[in-house]
Amino acid sequence: MTEPLLVDRTDAVVTLTLNRPDALNSLDVALKEALRDTLTELQQDRACRAVVLTGAGGSFSAGQDLREHVHALDGPDPLATVRSHYNPIAARLADLPKPVVAAVRGMAAGAGASLALLADFRVGGPKTRFLMAFAGVGLAADTGASWTLPRLVGHAKAVELLMLAEPVGAAEAHRLGLLTRLVDEDEQVLPAAQELAARLAAGPTVAYGAIKRQLSIADAGTLTEALAAEAQAQAICGATEDHRAATQAFVEKRRPVFDGR
């Protein structure tokens, strides 16, 4: 049986590949559970210092597997997957205390697009497309899109993308901030994402995790809350070996080496 999620480790970078290419990497229960559980494991995995999320074949992910979903519509709670799968996946991606890079090759639609938007960086190519497809099947946004999308593109544009459910091409996605980087060829998307992840993995990953927490608090909080989060983060980072070593390296005019501690 083909594994729905491939996990590959190269040094300190873990690449997670949504592996249902014949179904455009649509998200069925097996894939959602594998992604949820693997992200849970990676939260405490000190050997993993950066994550790449990508899709097999020519698509990132078409979102929810509607062929599977249609059989749940007659049940007592047809959207139970939101609480059981999508919410935990979104929370784990957002809270992962290490950088996440999405290699968005081809279409990212619905919950697939939402997964990409939860990454810290998104790399795409000429054929990359985003489609907030939820309204097209009579649904509202899920998998964190109502939180991530307006923070990336602004409230008015988020309303447009979610309500009109029109595809956004690569150049426009880059202009809007849906893509962090746009490479010249689709074949470069995954290597570019993995190169970026390797660079991040060699950096001060405790500080990166603290920055992610700071921004999530500041996005929805007051200045007072942001200042408190900054004080807490600096107390944590200031006690790390990375900070001590980097400060000494600066004084000695040499490049610091970080080990994530």
Side-chain angles (χ1 to χ4, degrees), residues 11-193:
D11 299 324
V13 176
V14 175
T15 299
L16 304 179
T17 303
L18 310 177
N19 190 37
R20 303 187 68 222
D22 293 341
L24 301 178
N25 300 316
S26 58
L27 300 158
D28 64 357
V29 168
L31 177 51
K32 287 180 286 192
E33 289 183 345
L35 182 58
R36 179 195 63 195
D37 297 345
T38 301
L39 289 171
T40 300
E41 294 169 4
L42 291 178
Q43 283 184 315
Q44 304 300 323
D45 185 348
R46 290 185 59 85
C48 169
R49 297 182 61 187
V51 174
V52 174
L53 181 63
T54 192
S59 178
F60 182 76
S61 173
Q64 171 63 38
D65 185 334
L66 294 181
R67 289 181 176 83
E68 180 184 76
H69 176 65
V70 72
H71 298 294
L73 293 180
D74 294 328
D77 191 358
L79 270 298
T81 188
V82 173
R83 291 186 295 276
S84 299
H85 304 118
Y86 289 124
N87 283 359
I89 289 170
R92 284 159 177 72
L93 269 176
D95 294 341
L96 202 65
K98 52 203 77 183
V100 179
V101 182
V104 190
R105 181 174 175 176
M107 177 59 77
S114 300
L115 291 178
L117 299 184
L118 286 160
D120 303 302
F121 301 86
R122 291 162 300 282
V123 180
K127 293 182 181 178
T128 297
R129 298 289 185 273
F130 287 89
L131 176 62
M132 308 312 296
F134 303 101
V137 290
L139 291 174
D142 63 33
T143 321
S146 65
W147 190 85
T148 56
L149 193 59
R151 284 164 173 76
L152 290 170
V153 304
H155 179 88
K157 193 66 179 180
V159 170
E160 178 185 337
L161 295 178
L162 285 168
M163 289 193 178
L164 297 184
E166 296 173 343
V168 179
E172 179 69 359
H174 190 219
R175 187 187 72 81
L176 290 172
L178 298 176
L179 285 177
T180 311
R181 295 186 177 181
L182 179 59
V183 298
D184 294 332
E185 299 178 6
D186 292 295
E187 290 73 19
Q188 298 174 342
V189 171
L190 180 57

Side-chain angles (χ1 to χ4, degrees), residues 202-225:
T205 47
V206 174
Y208 293 156
I211 289 168
K212 291 176 68 167
R213 289 191 297 273
Q214 284 179 328
L215 292 175
S216 67
I217 292 169
D219 273 340
T222 63
L223 175 60
T224 299
E225 291 167 331

